[in-house]
Amino acid sequence: MPRWGMVIDLDKCVGCQACTIACKTENNVPHGSPEEQRSRREIYWNKVIAVTNGKYPHASTELIPMPCMHCDHAPCVTVCPVKATYRREDGIVMQDYRRCLGCKYCIVACPYGVRSFNSKEQEEKEYHRQDLPPDRSVWGPWPFPSRTHGVVEKCTFCFHRIDQGIKEGKKIGEEVVPACVEDCPAKARSFGDLDDPQSQLSRLLSSRGWVRLREEMGTKCKVYYLLK
Amino acid sequence: MNLTFTSIEGKSQGFWILAVTLGALSVIGLTCFMVSYIQGHYVLGTSNIIPWGMPIVITIYLIGLSAGSLILSSLTYVFGKKEYRSISRLAVFLAIVLIFGAMIGISLDLGRPEKGWRLFMFFIMNNMRSMFAINGILYGGYFAIGIFYLGFIFAEKSKWTRALGILAMCWASLVHMGTGAIFGFIAARPIFYSPIKPFEFLAAAMASGLALLIITVVSVFHFTKRKFDRKIIFTLSQMLLVLVIILSVIVGMDKLTHLYVPHREPALWLLSGPFSLVFWGLQVGCGYLLPLLILIHPRFKKTIKGVMIASFSVVIGIFGERFSLIIPGTAYPLPFYPGKIEGFWGAAGSFPFTPVESLMSIGVFAIMGLFFILGLKHLELLPLNEGAEQTPVPAEKG
């Protein structure tokens, strides 16, 4: 069984937020209004944060794209009372919207703030897709019938792409990748099997120094950052 | 001491006015809940940075009051202190009403309350490593034990009452320690994370439960023109003093350990940031200092008025304690990466009070008040009162 992971090259990231937009489009994540952003209710499955160290004129800012870290020891899986959050065999941490009660305990427990609560029914706008997110006819079964408010949402590593790709016999990590990896103009992200020593990920991880975020939490997350 | 218990008549105008007011507030609360259920939680003050709002604050507050009240009823039925017998029925009934209110509070917070039954599918659909799921067992069992306990008290089966009283006392302690563990075991939130949290919750539960019991007993007995033994109240108030001292020591230890790295910054932010007024004013001032001063004072501690003020102050202060744990606990931004996180990802959250959330919270209290006065009317909770006219109980019960 593969163990999917992601490597993000901080040297290449330009902070263009293309990954955020790609994620929103691919997964039909609602577009937030400025008001929702101010009140911190906008749903982000992927975010890009800017971290500054030092003071002018000796300041440096790092851009850190943050999808779900898909931790091996995920605190959200431990705290979910109804098994709505679970870890698949291939290591992807999933959210089952049919089971989710919306108790938000996982949001509190996640050390990376990658979980969002859907607090509003999606408005009907011409440019919004009201179909099942993403279209069922293309991607097969999706774990929730339609987007609903009152549940917690998060990044899925675009599992629907991976599952479909495996079914079609495609090479995951080269031919099939998550939307954020595909759309990155700087090719800062790569996706693949962490257990496969021949994968591009393993090559990248052995070539450069890397970090994982908040190692002190002991989450053993599967998103690696190559340092500048 | 041979006591006969009775219910109140509940036919006076005041009783009906109170019942109708509480009923109306409950309906308003229910309407607000329907609004938040249909519209989504954006009508509440919660957000992705502060996911838990007033319903959770109220829930843990009520669980505390309930557990405290039930533990204190054991004075009579477990430890055989006969002098408290006149108030023990009331204490058990109050505990049941409060836990009922707490369960309503939890369901108000759920995004999908219609799936709440999943919480009670123990070991089948539940992840039993989750403190929340374990607490499901505790709350469910607590409710059942409380009802059986009251049933046996009414049936005057002293052997069973004693056995169930011991179980109820231990279970109530577990319930509140379990609630503390929901927060104390979350490593990602420095203000929550503490092994001492379950004990802090237990101490807070007992202090606030006792204070509420004092208020309830004094006001119910006063408004129904019953006589009560002033000595009981003064002994209870000295117990309250001890509990408040224990609680403030535990909280002090908790905050002091948090003042060391790696939890230093969030702890400093709590003590000096935007929520510091709640912490210092309500939690420390109202919850610990004022009652300590009153209950130590040689003259005030001997007056019912002084004890009542101290009790009110504890009840309000413990509410502040809950608030200043839940809201700032999640509001402090998570340190994703070393350095200053720019923009709103690095900013602390703010918690606006919205009308829907406030009315919903008042509704929870109103429903409990309604249940409480209906209980007084239909159950034999109060000691028999010879020759006095029955009048209603005050509104703030529950």
Side-chain angles (χ1 to χ4, degrees):
Chain A
M1 188 47 91
R3 207 164 63 90
W4 305 119
M6 192 181 279
V7 169
I8 301 173
D9 192 340
L10 295 182
D11 207 13
K12 287 182 181 166
C13 178
V14 291
C16 66
Q17 303 268 12
C19 45
T20 310
I21 301 298
C23 175
K24 286 218 167 203
T25 318
E26 174 76 17
N27 295 298
N28 197 16
V29 179
H31 311 258
S33 61
E35 163 51 27
E36 274 175 53
Q37 205 181 35
R38 260 195 304 278
S39 61
R40 312 286 296 267
R41 290 200 189 95
E42 189 172 358
I43 301 174
Y44 287 100
W45 286 17
N46 179 85
K47 59 178 180 265
V48 181
I49 58 166
V51 184
T52 307
N53 276 299
K55 275 189 184 150
Y56 177 82
H58 303 293
S60 74
T61 298
E62 297 216 44
L63 301 159
I64 322 275
M66 289 180 68
C68 171
M69 304 287 148
H70 294 276
C71 315
D72 275 345
H73 295 171
C76 54
V77 175
T78 313
V79 301
C80 178
V82 290
K83 295 184 189 166
T85 296
Y86 59 96
R87 198 173 156 272
R88 298 204 321 180
E89 277 187 17
D90 56 4
I92 296 178
V93 176
M94 288 293 296
Q95 180 80 10
D96 186 333
Y97 304 85
R98 285 205 179 112
R99 289 188 197 153
C100 180
L101 300 169
C103 73
K104 309 173 213 168
Y105 200 8
C106 53
I107 303 184
V108 174
C110 176
Y112 305 102
V114 297
R115 292 176 158 265
S116 308
F117 184 74
N118 190 337
S119 54
K120 194 179 169 190
E121 208 62 57
Q122 197 167 355
E123 283 170 53
E124 285 195 29
K125 291 265 171 71
E126 263 177 52
Y127 51 85
H128 285 169
R129 285 167 45 185
Q130 287 302 318
D131 55 335
L132 308 178
D135 193 343
R136 241 186 195 176
S137 57
V138 181
W139 299 115
W142 182 255
F144 58 103
S146 63
R147 187 173 292 282
T148 166
H149 72 82
V151 295
V152 175
E153 303 190 353
K154 68 178 274 297
C155 152
T156 61
F157 262 176
C158 288
F159 79 103
H160 51 283
R161 286 186 172 207
I162 299 171
D163 288 358
Q164 186 75 13
I166 290 175
K167 224 180 275 170
E168 289 169 4
K170 287 181 177 163
K171 275 191 143 182
I172 310 296
E174 287 166 33
E175 288 167 291
V176 176
V177 287
C180 54
V181 179
E182 190 179 17
D183 283 22
C184 180
K187 289 192 166 47
R189 294 183 183 229
S190 15
F191 183 81
D193 182 3
L194 287 168
D195 284 351
D196 177 7
Q198 301 303 318
S199 70
Q200 197 200 348
L201 285 201
S202 304
R203 279 204 300 278
L204 277 171
L205 288 176
S206 59
S207 67
R208 301 254 302 269
W210 51 262
V211 291
R212 291 188 293 190
L213 297 187
R214 306 201 72 186
E215 284 275 22
E216 78 277 10
M217 289 288 149
T219 49
K220 298 212 167 14
C221 55
K222 293 198 284 291
V223 175
Y224 294 78
Y225 293 88
L226 298 180
L227 293 170
K228 271 186 190 172
Chain B
M1 194 156 59
N2 218 351
L3 276 173
T4 320
F5 287 89
T6 180
S7 52
I8 60 167
E9 270 187 17
K11 281 183 184 156
S12 65
Q13 198 187 7
F15 181 87
W16 283 108
I17 291 174
L18 181 65
V20 168
T21 316
L22 289 175
L25 284 173
S26 311
V27 171
I28 292 172
L30 192 70
T31 315
C32 287
F33 165 65
M34 290 313 289
V35 168
S36 86
Y37 177 61
I38 293 164
Q39 296 280 309
H41 277 196
Y42 77 95
V43 295
L44 309 181
T46 50
S47 58
N48 287 326
I49 187 98
I50 304 183
W52 282 338
M54 287 311 281
I56 291 288
V57 173
I58 287 176
T59 299
I60 59 168
Y61 177 62
L62 293 178
I63 292 171
L65 291 174
S66 172
S69 195
L70 197 70
I71 291 170
L72 292 160
S73 75
S74 65
L75 280 175
T76 311
Y77 299 114
V78 178
F79 297 105
K81 299 228 184 261
K82 290 260 162 59
E83 60 269 33
Y84 298 111
R85 195 156 164 261
S86 58
I87 59 169
S88 290
R89 283 191 176 190
L90 203 60
V92 178
F93 180 66
L94 194 60
I96 294 172
V97 171
L98 289 167
I99 193 78
F100 178 72
M103 296 300 102
I104 297 177
I106 291 188
S107 44
L108 296 185
D109 176 71
L110 294 181
R112 289 275 137 202
E114 78 272 16
K115 290 187 245 173
W117 58 272
R118 280 180 181 273
L119 274 175
F120 300 98
M121 296 289 111
F122 309 124
F123 300 99
I124 307 165
M125 287 180 176
N126 286 12
N127 162 27
M128 294 318 289
R129 285 192 304 162
S130 164
M131 268 327 289
F132 206 161
I134 294 170
N135 271 282
I137 298 182
L138 296 177
Y139 299 156
Y142 181 80
F143 196 63
I145 290 172
I147 286 177
F148 276 107
Y149 186 31
L150 192 64
F152 282 121
I153 292 172
F154 278 135
E156 308 259 350
K157 290 195 192 309
S158 57
K159 210 170 148 191
W160 279 97
T161 308
R162 193 182 145 92
L164 219 59
I166 295 172
L167 181 65
M169 188 179 72
C170 302
W171 200 276
S173 316
L174 271 182
V175 162
H176 215 55
M177 287 170 79
T179 311
I182 290 184
F183 304 95
F185 293 0
I186 297 297
R189 305 287 174 168
I191 294 175
F192 288 174
Y193 189 48
S194 164
I196 212 172
K197 215 43 94 195
F199 302 97
E200 181 190 326
F201 268 56
L202 185 60
M206 293 189 55
S208 59
L210 179 55
L212 184 71
L213 192 63
I214 294 176
I215 297 172
T216 314
V217 167
V218 172
S219 42
V220 169
F221 278 50
H222 175 74
F223 280 95
T224 59
K225 300 209 169 69
R226 281 174 165 76
K227 277 184 190 149
F228 56 90
D229 193 356
R230 287 164 65 95
K231 251 194 234 155
I232 296 181
I233 301 298
F234 294 132
T235 329
L236 288 178
S237 75
Q238 286 311 297
M239 267 168 68
L240 181 63
L241 174 66
V242 174
L243 286 170
V244 169
I245 292 172
I246 294 174
L247 176 62
S248 42
V249 169
I250 294 179
V251 170
M253 266 154 61
D254 182 71
K255 299 298 175 221
L256 280 178
T257 42
H258 279 171
L259 280 178
Y260 288 85
V261 279
H263 297 162
R264 184 174 167 77
E265 276 176 39
L268 277 178
W269 178 79
L270 172 67
L271 302 183
S272 61
F275 293 98
S276 57
L277 204 63
V278 181
F279 179 80
W280 292 111
L282 274 184
Q283 182 175 349
V284 176
C286 254
Y288 315 145
L289 284 183
L290 185 63
L292 276 183
L293 288 178
I294 292 176
L295 294 175
I296 289 174
H297 197 278
R299 209 173 60 233
F300 291 154
K301 74 175 181 183
K302 294 272 181 235
T303 58
I304 292 289
K305 211 182 238 174
V307 172
M308 282 292 273
I309 292 172
S311 303
F312 264 115
S313 168
V314 169
V315 168
I316 294 165
I318 303 286
F319 187 81
E321 176 175 333
R322 305 320 198 181
F323 187 89
S324 74
L325 176 75
I326 306 288
I327 308 291
T330 48
Y332 191 76
L334 294 163
F336 302 126
Y337 195 84
K340 184 184 173 294
I341 300 170
E342 302 288 347
F344 65 82
W345 292 111
S350 62
F351 183 78
F353 285 97
T354 64
V356 172
E357 192 164 4
S358 311
L359 288 172
M360 209 158 85
S361 311
I362 294 169
V364 176
F365 286 97
I367 288 176
M368 285 188 305
L370 199 59
F371 270 89
F372 185 74
I373 60 166
L374 287 179
L376 286 182
K377 190 177 170 187
H378 295 291
L379 298 173
E380 292 169 351
L381 294 168
L382 296 171
L384 192 64
N385 189 18
E386 281 120 23
E389 197 190 332
Q390 307 287 5
T391 40
V393 294
E396 68 274 10
K397 284 301 92 47

